[in-house]
C-alpha cells in the first residue's frame, strides 16, 4: 500500500509537471503569430451587392464569394492562368468602376506609414490578359476614372495619365514635382501621417478632369538621420561609410507645406488653381469630386489650429469655391469630420462632435442641415452607409458601453435596430446594396467570430469561429483576463482597465505588476475585445508575463477615447499632465489591492505610451519601481507640427503648456529603474528625443539603461528584431521587479 501511494504521488507529480510544461509560452510563439486568430482580410464588396472578393491565402488568386452563404462561387483572377505576363503572386488589387479591369499590385516597397510604390499590371477580365500599367518605373496610388478608360498615378511626385482607349498611351500631367520640394497628388510626410491618407487627387464624375492637391514643401525645414549597413535587410551601399536619409519634417511652429488645389482638363491640357479662401498656413485634408456632378469638387480645409473645419464646393473650371458648412470646436476637430464625409446626388453626410459626442448629420448639397441622424451620450465610431430609398442609416457605435461597439440602423423616424447580436466589439463590412454584412465579433475572452448577416441582423452563416485556437490556448493553461473600473482618489473620475492574472492566481499571495498603456488623445487600449494587449491577439505578451508570476494591467486615463469630447479633450494644451496623474492613480489603486506587491509596480509603453511612462515615473509620486519607454517623444517641440499643434497649439501660443508637458523638464523627479528603447531610423518620433532625454539624465547624474536598434523605424521590427525587443522588455521587468 505504501509503495502504491508513492507511485501514485510520483504519477501525479509527473502529470502536474507535464501540464505545467505544456502551459509554458515561448516568446518566439508570442511574436511569431503562432497563436494568431484566423481573420478574413482584404474583403472587397462587388457591384452586384450579392458577392465580395478576397485575395486567396497564397496570394495567387482573387476569389469571388457569396454574401448569402460565404461559399466560393468563382475565381476573378489567377496568376497561373492569366496570359501575357507570368507572376508568382501579387500584393493587392484595385478594380475598375465596372469591374471589367483590375490593377494587379506587385513588388510593393513601403515609403512611410501609408505610402508605397509598386509595379501594377492591367488585367482584362474578359480577355484574361495582363499588361504593364507603365514601363517607366514604379507607380503610386493609381486610380481608375469613373468611366474606366483612364488611369492616373503618381511617379516621382508628378501625376501621370494612361489612356486605355489609346493603346495605353502615357502622358505627364504635372512636371514640377521634385523630392523635398513639390509633391503633386500625394501628401508630404506630415500630412500623410497625421491626416491619414496617401492619395491627394481625384477624377471628375464625367472623367474629363483631374483635381489634385499641390504641396510645396520647399521652405519646410529638413531633418536627417543616419543609416548603416545593418542586417535584415543589409544596405550594402553603406558598408564602407554610413549614409543618411533626409526629408522635410516640420516641428511645432515651423513652416509647413503651402497647399493649393489644382484642376487639369484632360482634353485641353489646361491647369487651373482654385480660388480657395484658405489661410496661408491652413490644411487641405481631403478633396473629392461629387459622384453625380462633374462641376462639383468638394474641398475640405482646416485652419492651422485645427479647430475650424470647412467644406467647400468648387467649380473646377470657373475656380469659384462656395462654402457649404463650417464646423468649429473650442479645442480641435477630430479626423472623422473629413475622413467620414460622404456625398450623394443632392445631399451629403458628415460627422461632428458639436453636441459633445461624435454623431451623424445629414445636409442638403447646398449646405443646409436636414437633420441630426444620431443623438445621445455615445460615440458613432463609423458611418457605414445610407439606403436612400428606405431612408435608413447604418453605423457602428458604442452606445452599449464605451468599451463595446455594435452595428445599428436607424430610420427617418429615429427607430433604431441593433443588428449585431453579441456584446463586445463588432465591426462590419456591408455589401454595396446594404442588404448583407460581414460582422467580426470578439470580446476580452473570445477570439474573433466572423459571420455573414442580413440587414435585419439575422445570422446567415458563420465563416470563422476560431474554435481550434480556443482549444489550443485552453491547453496552454494561460492567465485570466478581466475588466475592472475604479474611481480616482478625488472620487470624481471613473477609469476603465483590464487585468491579466496568472493561471494559478492565489489571492493570498502578493504579485508584482506590469502596467501597459498608450494614453494618447482619443486612443483606447481598454475595450471588450480580443485585440487588447501590447501585441493584441488575446493579451498574449501579458499571458507570457503572467506565466512569469506577474499581474498585467492596462488603464485608460483622461484624454483617451470612447467617452465623449469633454473626457477626451480635457488634456488640451497640457498633454501628459493629467494622463500621467491617472497612471499614478491606477498604480495607487492597484497597490491597495491585497494581492499586489505595492513596491513592485512597473509601467511601460510605446510612442505616446513611452512618453507617458516617463511623465508618470516623474510625476512626483514614487509608485513605479521600474519603467520601459519605447520610442518616446520626450519634448513636444521635437515632434511634428500637425499632431502637436492639434493638442498643444504652437510653442509661441502655449509656452507654459510645452514646458509642463515636457518629460525633459521632469528629469530630476524621475523615480525608478528606467530602460529607454529607440530605433535609430525612426522617421516618426526621431531618435533625437531619446538622445536629448538620455543626456539630461546623465547631467542629472541619474543612472539608466538604454538600447538602440540599427536602421529600425518607429515599429522596431524586421528579421529577429521583434523577438529581441519584446524579450528585452519582458526580461527587464523580470530582472528588476521579481
Amino acid at each position: 500500500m505504501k509503495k502504491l501511494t508513492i507511485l501514485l504521488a510520483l504519477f501525479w507529480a509527473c502529470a502536474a509537471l507535464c501540464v505545467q510544461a505544456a502551459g509554458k509560452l515561448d516568446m518566439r510563439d508570442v511574436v511569431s503569430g503562432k497563436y494568431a486568430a484566423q481573420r478574413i482580410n482584404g474583403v472587397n464588396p462587388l457591384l452586384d451587392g450579392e458577392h465580395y472578393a478576397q485575395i486567396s491565402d497564397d496570394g495567387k488568386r482573387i476569389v469571388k464569394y457569396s454574401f448569402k452563404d460565404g461559399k466560393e462561387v468563382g475565381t476573378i483572377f489567377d496568376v497561373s492562368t492569366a496570359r501575357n505576363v507570368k507572376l508568382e503572386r501579387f500584393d493587392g488589387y484595385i478594380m475598375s468602376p465596372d469591374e471589367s479591369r483590375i490593377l494587379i499590385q506587385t513588388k510593393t516597397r513601403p515609403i512611410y506609414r501609408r505610402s508605397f510604390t509598386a509595379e501594377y499590371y492591367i488585367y482584362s477580365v474578359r480577355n484574361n490578359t495582363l499588361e504593364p500599367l507603365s514601363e517607366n518605373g514604379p507607380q503610386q496610388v493609381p486610380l481608375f476614372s469613373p468611366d474606366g478608360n483612364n488611369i492616373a498615378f503618381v511617379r516621382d511626385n508628378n501625376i501621370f495619365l494612361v489612356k486605355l482607349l489609346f493603346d495605353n498611351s502615357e502622358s505627364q500631367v504635372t512636371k514640377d514635382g521634385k523630392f523635398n520640394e513639390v509633391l503633386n497628388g500625394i501628401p508630404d510626410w506630415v500630412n500623410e501621417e497625421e491626416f491619414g491618407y496617401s492619395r491627394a487627387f481625384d477624377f471628375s464624375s464625367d472623367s474629363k478632369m483631374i483635381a489634385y492637391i499641390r504641396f510645396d514643401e520647399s521652405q519646410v525645414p529638413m531633418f536627417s538621420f543616419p543609416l548603416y549597413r545593418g542586417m535584415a535587410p543589409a544596405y550594402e551601399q553603406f558598408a564602407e561609410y554610413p549614409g543618411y536619409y533626409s526629408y522635410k519634417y516640420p516641428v511645432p511652429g515651423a513652416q509647413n507645406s503651402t497647399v493649393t488645389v489644382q484642376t487639369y482638363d484632360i482634353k485641353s491640357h489646361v491647369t487651373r488653381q482654385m480660388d480657395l479662401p484658405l489661410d496661408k498656413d491652413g490644411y487641405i485634408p481631403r478633396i473629392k469630386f461629387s459622384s453625380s456632378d462633374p462641376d462639383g469638387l468638394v474641398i475640405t480645409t482646416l485652419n492651422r489650429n485645427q479647430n475650424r473645419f470647412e467644406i467647400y464646393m468648387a467649380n473646377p473650371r470657373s475656380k469659384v469655391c462656395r462654402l457649404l458648412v463650417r464646423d468649429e470646436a473650442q479645442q480641435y476637430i477630430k479626423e472623422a469630420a473629413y475622413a467620414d464625409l460622404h456625398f450623394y446626388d443632392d445631399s451629403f453626410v458628415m460627422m461632428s462632435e458639436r453636441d459633445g459626442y461624435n454623431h451623424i448629420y445629414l445636409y442638403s448639397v447646398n449646405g443646409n442641415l436636414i437633420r441630426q441622424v444620431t443623438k445621445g451620450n455615445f460615440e458613432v465610431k463609423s458611418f457605414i452607409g445610407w439606403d436612400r430609398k428606405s431612408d435608413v442609416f447604418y453605423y457602428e457605435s458604442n452606445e452599449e458601453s464605451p468599451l463595446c461597439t455594435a452595428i445599428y440602423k436607424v430610420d427617418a423616424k429615429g427607430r433604431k435596430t441593433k443588428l449585431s447580436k453579441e456584446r463586445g466589439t463588432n465591426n462590419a463590412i456591408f455589401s454595396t446594396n446594404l442588404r448583407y454584412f460581414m460582422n467580426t465579433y470578439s470580446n476580452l475572452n473570445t477570439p474573433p467570430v466572423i459571420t455573414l448577416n442580413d440587414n435585419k441582423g439575422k445570422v446567415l452563416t458563420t465563416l470563422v469561429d476560431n474554435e481550434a485556437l480556443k482549444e489550443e490556448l485552453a491547453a496552454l493553461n494561460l492567465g485570466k483576463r478581466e475588466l475592472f473600473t475604479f474611481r480616482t482618489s478625488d472620487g470624481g473620475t471613473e477609469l476603465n482597465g483590464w487585468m491579466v492574472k496568472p493561471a494559478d492566481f492565489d489571492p493570498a499571495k502578493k504579485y508584482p505588476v506590469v502596467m501597459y498603456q498608450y494614453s494618447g488623445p482619443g486612443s483606447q487600449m481598454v475595450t471588450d475585445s480580443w485585440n487588447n494587449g501590447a501585441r493584441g491577439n488575446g493579451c498574449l505578451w501579458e499571458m507570457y508575463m503572467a506565466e512569469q508570476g506577474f499581474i498585467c494591467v492596462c488603464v485608460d486615463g483622461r484624454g483617451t477615447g470612447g467617452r465623449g469630447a469633454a473626457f477626451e479633450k480635457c488634456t488640451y494644451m497640457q498633454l501628459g499632465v493629467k494622463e500621467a496623474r491617472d497612471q499614478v492613480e491606477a498604480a495607487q489603486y492597484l497597490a491597495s489591492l491585497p494581492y499586489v506587491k505595492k513596491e513592485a509596480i512597473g509601467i511601460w509603453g510605446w510612442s505616446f505610451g513611452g512618453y507617458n511612462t516617463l511623465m508618470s515615473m516623474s510625476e512626483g509620486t514614487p509608485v513605479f519601481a521600474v519603467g520601459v519607454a519605447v520610442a518616446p517623444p520626450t519634448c513636444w517641440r521635437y515632434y511634428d507640427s500637425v499632431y502637436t499643434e492639434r493638442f498643444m497649439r504652437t510653442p509661441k501660443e502655449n509656452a507654459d503648456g510645452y514646458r509642463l508637458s515636457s518629460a525633459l523638464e521632469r528629469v530630476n523627479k524621475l523615480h525608478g529603474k528606467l530602460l529607454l528603447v529607440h530605433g535609430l531610423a525612426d522617421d516618426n518620433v526621431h531618435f533625437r528625443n531619446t538622445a536629448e532625454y538620455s543626456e539630461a539624465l546623465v547631467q542629472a547624474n541619474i543612472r539608466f539603461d538604454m538600447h538602440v536598434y540599427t536602421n529600425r523605424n518607429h515599429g522596431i521590427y524586421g528579421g529577429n528584431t521583434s523577438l529581441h525587443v519584446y524579450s528585452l522588455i519582458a526580461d527587464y521587468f523580470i530582472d528588476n521587479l521579481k
Side-chain angles (χ1 to χ4, degrees):
M1 187 68 184
K2 187 175 180 181
K3 287 182 179 179
L4 180 60
T5 303
I6 292 171
L7 286 171
L8 284 171
L10 288 171
F11 170 79
W12 288 115
C14 290
L17 286 171
C18 289
V19 170
Q20 185 179 14
K24 287 295 182 184
L25 273 173
D26 189 293
M27 186 63 79
R28 290 177 179 82
D29 296 334
V30 172
V31 302
S32 68
K34 178 180 179 180
Y35 297 111
Q38 182 185 350
R39 300 177 185 274
I40 297 178
N41 298 313
V43 173
N44 183 18
L46 298 176
L47 283 178
D48 63 9
E50 299 294 321
H51 300 92
Y52 61 91
Q54 184 188 352
I55 300 177
S56 60
D57 292 339
D58 61 6
K60 295 185 176 183
R61 294 190 302 149
I62 302 175
V63 185
K64 186 177 183 179
Y65 294 92
S66 167
F67 256 117
K68 287 182 180 178
D69 56 21
K71 292 181 179 179
E72 181 178 331
V73 298
T75 297
I76 300 173
F77 169 75
D78 191 332
V79 296
S80 65
T81 60
R83 297 186 291 120
N84 296 355
V85 177
K86 289 300 177 185
L87 301 175
E88 290 297 319
R89 54 173 290 124
F90 62 101
D91 305 323
Y93 67 96
I94 302 169
M95 287 190 166
S96 65
D98 65 357
E99 299 176 355
S100 65
R101 294 185 178 96
I102 306 173
L103 280 172
I104 303 297
Q105 176 187 327
T106 69
K107 297 183 180 179
T108 305
R109 293 188 176 184
I111 303 173
Y112 300 124
R113 188 188 298 268
R114 296 171 180 84
S115 55
F116 58 86
T117 63
E119 294 181 13
Y120 290 89
Y121 293 87
I122 306 168
Y123 176 68
S124 169
V125 175
R126 174 182 291 182
N127 300 326
N128 193 32
T129 56
L130 282 168
E131 53 186 331
L133 171 60
S134 173
E135 297 188 25
N136 298 317
Q139 307 94 45
Q140 283 181 251
V141 292
L143 178 69
F144 281 100
S145 60
D147 64 9
N149 294 326
N150 301 294
I151 301 173
F153 64 85
V154 173
R155 178 193 293 121
D156 298 330
N157 291 355
N158 282 310
I159 300 172
F160 292 79
L161 183 67
V162 172
K163 296 182 177 181
L164 303 181
L165 298 182
F166 292 87
D167 198 26
N168 296 355
S169 64
E170 182 177 318
S171 59
Q172 189 166 342
V173 174
T174 66
K175 297 181 179 179
D176 60 343
K178 187 177 180 181
F179 182 62
N180 281 337
E181 290 193 16
V182 173
L183 304 92
N184 293 295
I186 54 173
D188 61 9
W189 184 92
V190 73
N191 279 270
E192 174 187 329
E193 173 69 21
E194 305 303 354
F195 291 130
Y197 70 120
S198 59
R199 176 171 55 82
F201 70 83
D202 197 22
F203 280 98
S204 60
S205 61
D206 60 5
S207 304
K208 293 180 179 179
M209 302 197 80
I210 297 173
Y212 61 94
I213 306 176
R214 181 182 184 272
F215 298 82
D216 183 345
E217 63 175 0
S218 58
Q219 301 305 308
V220 177
M222 189 83 77
F223 190 90
S224 300
F225 53 79
L227 293 171
Y228 303 91
R229 179 183 180 275
M231 300 170 65
Y235 299 121
E236 296 299 337
Q237 66 269 38
F238 304 133
E240 189 170 355
Y241 285 95
Y244 61 91
Y245 181 77
S246 298
Y247 68 121
K248 297 303 182 82
Y249 186 101
V251 296
Q255 174 72 49
N256 284 326
S257 288
T258 301
V259 289
T260 55
V261 177
Q262 318 279 334
T263 60
Y264 173 77
D265 191 308
I266 294 173
K267 185 176 181 179
S268 68
H269 310 297
V270 173
T271 299
R272 303 174 177 89
Q273 180 173 314
M274 299 298 97
D275 294 331
L276 185 66
L278 179 69
D279 297 344
K280 187 177 180 181
D281 56 357
Y283 300 111
I284 304 174
R286 294 290 190 281
I287 62 167
K288 183 176 179 60
F289 269 105
S290 164
S291 59
S292 58
D293 181 7
D295 290 328
L297 171 62
V298 180
I299 304 173
T300 64
T301 70
L302 285 167
N303 61 333
R304 181 148 183 168
N305 284 339
Q306 298 173 64
N307 61 353
R308 187 181 72 246
F309 172 64
E310 295 175 328
I311 305 172
Y312 289 91
M313 185 68 78
N315 186 298
R317 290 182 173 83
S318 72
K319 306 183 294 185
V320 173
C321 298
R322 178 169 54 89
L323 178 65
L324 297 182
V325 172
R326 175 180 291 122
D327 205 12
E328 296 183 272
Q330 186 175 353
Q331 298 93 1
Y332 53 88
I333 299 290
K334 291 185 66 174
E335 292 177 57
Y338 43 85
D340 240 346
L341 183 63
H342 301 266
F343 272 75
Y344 298 86
D345 288 346
D346 55 3
S347 52
F348 64 92
V349 172
M350 69 173 288
M351 307 279 263
S352 174
E353 288 186 309
R354 65 187 63 163
D355 72 352
Y357 292 85
N358 198 50
H359 283 297
I360 301 170
Y361 293 80
L362 178 64
Y363 280 85
S364 73
V365 75
N366 293 319
N368 298 314
L369 178 63
I370 298 174
R371 69 177 185 270
Q372 181 177 345
V373 177
T374 58
K375 297 178 182 178
N377 295 341
F378 62 88
E379 291 185 349
V380 173
K381 291 297 187 180
S382 67
F383 166 68
I384 294 170
W386 178 30
D387 183 339
R388 298 197 63 197
K389 186 176 181 180
S390 61
D391 200 9
V392 172
F393 287 80
Y394 295 83
Y395 62 94
E396 174 190 325
S397 81
N398 68 356
E399 49 200 279
E400 286 183 308
S401 160
L403 308 186
C404 301
T405 57
I407 312 304
Y408 296 88
K409 66 179 180 181
V410 62
D411 64 18
K413 295 182 179 179
R415 292 174 298 199
K416 187 185 303 179
T417 305
K418 180 186 171 188
L419 301 179
S420 53
K421 300 301 181 185
E422 304 293 339
R423 183 182 173 92
T425 298
N426 293 270
N427 308 107
I429 300 173
F430 272 69
S431 60
T432 51
N433 57 11
L434 300 173
R435 288 181 59 188
Y436 310 98
F437 68 97
M438 181 185 294
N439 188 66
T440 301
Y441 154 76
S442 74
N443 66 28
L444 192 66
N445 291 289
T446 305
V449 176
I450 305 176
T451 57
L452 290 176
N453 313 264
D454 65 22
N455 63 5
K456 296 179 181 179
K458 180 183 178 182
V459 176
L460 303 175
T461 189
T462 299
L463 301 177
V464 172
D465 59 16
N466 274 303
E467 284 298 326
L469 174 64
K470 289 169 71 174
E471 291 174 8
E472 275 189 286
L473 295 177
L476 291 174
N477 192 32
L478 298 177
K480 302 170 184 176
R481 313 171 191 88
E482 57 190 51
L483 295 166
F484 69 94
T485 62
F486 73 96
R487 285 198 175 274
T488 54
S489 59
D490 61 9
T493 306
E494 185 176 80
L495 300 180
N496 299 315
W498 52 253
M499 181 181 295
V500 176
K501 296 176 180 176
D504 59 353
F505 174 74
D506 181 352
K509 292 183 178 180
K510 289 189 179 291
Y511 296 86
V513 172
V514 173
M515 292 173 55
Y516 167 74
Q517 44 74 52
Y518 180 74
S519 303
S523 65
Q524 265 192 284
M525 296 292 103
V526 181
T527 55
D528 194 5
S529 165
W530 187 253
N531 292 331
N532 283 308
R535 288 188 61 83
N537 204 32
C539 297
L540 206 57
W541 187 87
E542 287 75 13
M543 293 296 179
Y544 173 89
M545 294 301 291
E547 284 190 346
Q548 315 309 312
F550 289 87
I551 291 175
C552 292
V553 174
C554 180
V555 171
D556 277 344
R558 285 170 292 177
T560 56
R563 299 176 63 174
F567 186 87
E568 179 175 330
K569 297 178 180 181
C570 71
T571 62
Y572 187 61
M573 301 288 271
Q574 285 190 12
L575 282 183
V577 177
K578 292 177 180 176
E579 299 93 322
R581 180 62 210 163
D582 285 350
Q583 293 305 310
V584 168
E585 289 270 3
Q588 290 174 321
Y589 164 75
L590 294 168
S592 72
L593 300 177
Y595 49 82
V596 168
K597 188 188 293 186
K598 65 180 181 180
E599 70 275 10
I601 299 176
I603 184 171
W604 81 283
W606 202 302
S607 193
F608 198 104
Y611 158 72
N612 203 42
T613 293
L614 300 177
M615 293 292 285
S616 301
M617 293 178 72
S618 52
E619 186 268 349
T621 309
V623 292
F624 297 109
V626 180
V628 179
V630 185
T634 60
C635 175
W636 290 111
R637 291 174 180 268
Y638 302 156
Y639 197 54
D640 77 59
S641 57
V642 176
Y643 181 93
T644 308
E645 292 173 16
R646 180 182 300 160
F647 310 115
M648 294 283 289
R649 297 204 174 183
T650 65
K652 186 176 180 180
E653 294 174 279
N654 185 24
D656 286 342
Y658 275 80
R659 178 180 54 80
L660 292 169
S661 297
S662 172
L664 287 171
E665 295 287 335
R666 292 189 172 194
V667 159
N668 290 318
K669 293 182 180 180
L670 182 72
H671 177 271
K673 195 171 178 64
L674 173 65
L675 171 64
L676 295 171
V677 179
H678 219 121
L680 291 178
D682 192 332
D683 63 291
N684 187 350
V685 180
H686 300 140
F687 178 70
R688 168 192 188 185
N689 287 270
T690 288
E692 296 287 3
Y693 190 80
S694 64
E695 171 66 2
L697 290 172
V698 169
Q699 297 309 318
N701 199 30
I702 297 173
R703 299 294 180 91
F704 64 100
D705 297 299
M706 187 163 77
H707 195 98
V708 297
Y709 286 89
T710 304
N711 293 349
R712 294 297 173 239
N713 65 14
H714 196 54
I716 312 182
Y717 58 87
N720 193 58
T721 310
S722 290
L723 175 60
H724 192 281
V725 69
Y726 280 98
S727 298
L728 176 74
I729 297 165
D731 289 346
Y732 200 76
F733 288 118
I734 292 168
D735 294 343
N736 293 291
L737 277 184
K738 289 196 73 176

